[in-house]
Amino acid sequence: MLSPAFDTVRGGVITVAALTSRWPRESPAWYGALALLLLAAVPLRVYHLSHQNIWFDEAYSWKLAQLSYAAILREAAADVHPPLYYFFLKWWIAVAGTTAAGLRSLSLVASLVLMMVTYVAGRNWAGERAALWALMIMAVSPHQIFYAQEARMYALTALFVMLAVYFYDRWVSSGRISALASYTAVALLAVYTHYFAILLLLAIQCDFALRWLPLKESPTATPHRRRLLLWLGAHTVMLLCYLPWLPALASQTARGQAWRHRPTWLGTLQGLWDFLLELMLGYFSYPGDLAFAFEKFRSAPGDLTDFLFLLQEIWMYVAGVGLLLFLLAMGVRRPAARGRFLILFGVPVAVAAVFSLRQSLQLSRYLNPVFPFFALILGSSIAAMTSKRKAWMAGSALAVAMLLGVGANDRANSRDSDYRPAAARLEEDFLPGDRMVIRPSYMSVCLEYYLPRSFPAEYLPDPGLPRDGSWDLGDGKDRLWIISDYRDPAFHQGQAVEDKGWIVENAWWWPRENPKVRLTLLKRP
């Protein structure tokens, strides 16, 4: 049952009073900790918001948000995601602008609101202390910070899902029709934002079944039958509202994504382990770094920098991951975790793991909405420790490991292929009459973003030219730029052009250590 704090919710809508009334009656230090966590979350998400490049997926979001609503629907239907996020982004950038910070700030705001909703709901599900520890985990999580700084739909989907869970629980505890209507509305927003929200709705159905089935034969069965009919009616409304998009969903499912491979059973288990590591340490932390740190320290044992790097990796992958596994094991023994958190976290992960047997999936990206329940499991485990000292030690150790993951995020200069250097070179050296080929052609959206006013009009879509190099541009054109991405099968093979009437005048590639983008200028002899 929910606490009386939710009596301030009128009409099933979260009000300011619902978020601020009846805070826990603790010492001023408690209030200070709550304020500190909320304030700390903001700079952690704002810092380096524009530092990394707008990568392909984000550039695609930007491009669709420039289109009309009808065009967004057509383009989204031809892609792999539903269209609602692009509508929200279109409205958002009309105010915030199309800079990297402007595009990403929608996710940043969604991430901060998600924290508040998680705390408000979590303190009623697992207690005040568990909710505060969960808030700490969300505030410093490199995983949450990463998706708060990405112009994609994952943070917004997580917010809609968490609101759906909140309103569902509000309806179950109070029976208010307005709460059920609110659940229906935000659940519909969630599935129109990302398809994997359906997995969280499936978890809610499991929770509802576990609540309803033991009561259906009770003396008060009639009210429960009425509640079941209302529940079925709400989902019938959702289905009717989703009918216009079902043909697009069927087409996308049949088409699939050709670049995804079918993993082995071992690969699927590895994917689940990587999923847990990424929830804990973020996108830019790699287990191989621990072995690398040992090797560096062994080769130069007196180097203080190498020693500190080794300590950092040991803390992250030995202390941090070990503590994570301990807290997860402890959390599943908690009644609140068994009753709700395991369902809301475990069901989507299990179903997604089954899907990943068919084709590889980046679980940490698509399952971002399960993170609040992951944080609540850990928070309830810390709060259940027998002494405050143990709880503070465990929570602090976990926070340090996560903050080290945040540091790894901040040290990364780019996400995927960084087209900023190529755009700068083209802006400086591209001459009137030059021609350009981008391979693969869909990566042109990155250059379009960075060259919005000077993107070459004489861009030749790939395969606009033969791959054997026998290119006749006509009209006396004698300079050709080729931008090649690592996704191009010929990226690492180079291009034999000397015997085709062209010579390489200059070539650049970025980054130097592990190139992902190559720019080549060809010229006739």
Side-chain angles (χ1 to χ4, degrees), residues 149-344:
Q149 296 183 334
E150 184 173 75
R152 293 295 283 169
M153 65 283 297
Y154 306 109
L156 193 61
T157 305
L159 174 59
F160 288 147
V161 164
M162 195 65 199
L163 285 170
V165 171
Y166 163 78
F167 284 123
Y168 155 72
D169 202 278
R170 172 64 183 162
W171 173 68
V172 168
S173 63
S174 70
R176 290 179 179 270
I177 298 298
S178 55
L180 181 60
S182 298
Y183 160 79
T184 305
V186 292
L188 192 60
L189 291 177
V191 295
Y192 262 116
T193 304
H194 197 277
Y195 294 129
F196 270 60
I198 296 172
L199 301 187
L200 273 296
L201 299 187
L202 175 62
I204 292 175
Q205 309 311 311
C206 294
D207 185 78
F208 179 80
L210 291 175
R211 292 188 188 205
W212 182 78
L213 288 175
L215 301 173
K216 66 177 182 177
E217 301 300 334
S218 69
T220 58
T222 300
H224 292 293
R225 290 196 187 97
R226 178 177 178 273
R227 185 163 293 191
L228 175 61
L229 291 175
L230 289 172
W231 185 245
L232 294 175
H235 287 83
T236 301
V237 171
M238 287 177 56
L239 180 60
L240 291 174
C241 292
Y242 210 69
L243 278 178
W245 191 251
L246 284 181
L249 172 58
S251 175
Q252 291 170 339
T253 303
R255 186 170 61 247
Q257 293 174 289
W259 57 272
R260 294 191 183 276
H261 65 277
R262 184 167 188 160
T264 63
W265 278 92
L266 185 60
T268 299
L269 292 176
Q270 179 67 46
L272 287 171
W273 175 244
D274 292 342
F275 166 67
L276 276 180
L277 288 182
E278 195 168 325
L279 288 186
M280 172 72 180
L281 301 175
Y283 184 78
F284 288 104
S285 298
Y286 309 102
D289 289 345
L290 180 58
F292 177 69
F294 269 114
E295 186 61 32
K296 282 194 69 177
F297 179 70
R298 192 177 66 175
S299 62
D303 191 301
L304 179 60
T305 302
D306 290 345
F307 177 67
L308 293 176
F309 178 52
L310 176 60
L311 285 183
Q312 169 185 311
E313 298 302 312
I314 290 175
W315 190 278
M316 291 172 67
Y317 289 102
V318 178
V321 175
L323 181 60
L324 167 69
L325 297 176
F326 171 75
L327 292 175
L328 285 175
M330 183 179 176
V332 299
R333 296 195 298 270
R334 296 277 295 164
R338 274 201 305 270
R340 177 172 289 110
F341 302 150
L342 276 184
I343 293 174
L344 295 173

Side-chain angles (χ1 to χ4, degrees), residues 375-388:
L376 285 165
I377 291 174
L378 298 182
S380 64
S381 298
I382 296 172
M385 289 185 170
T386 54
S387 71
K388 289 185 178 180

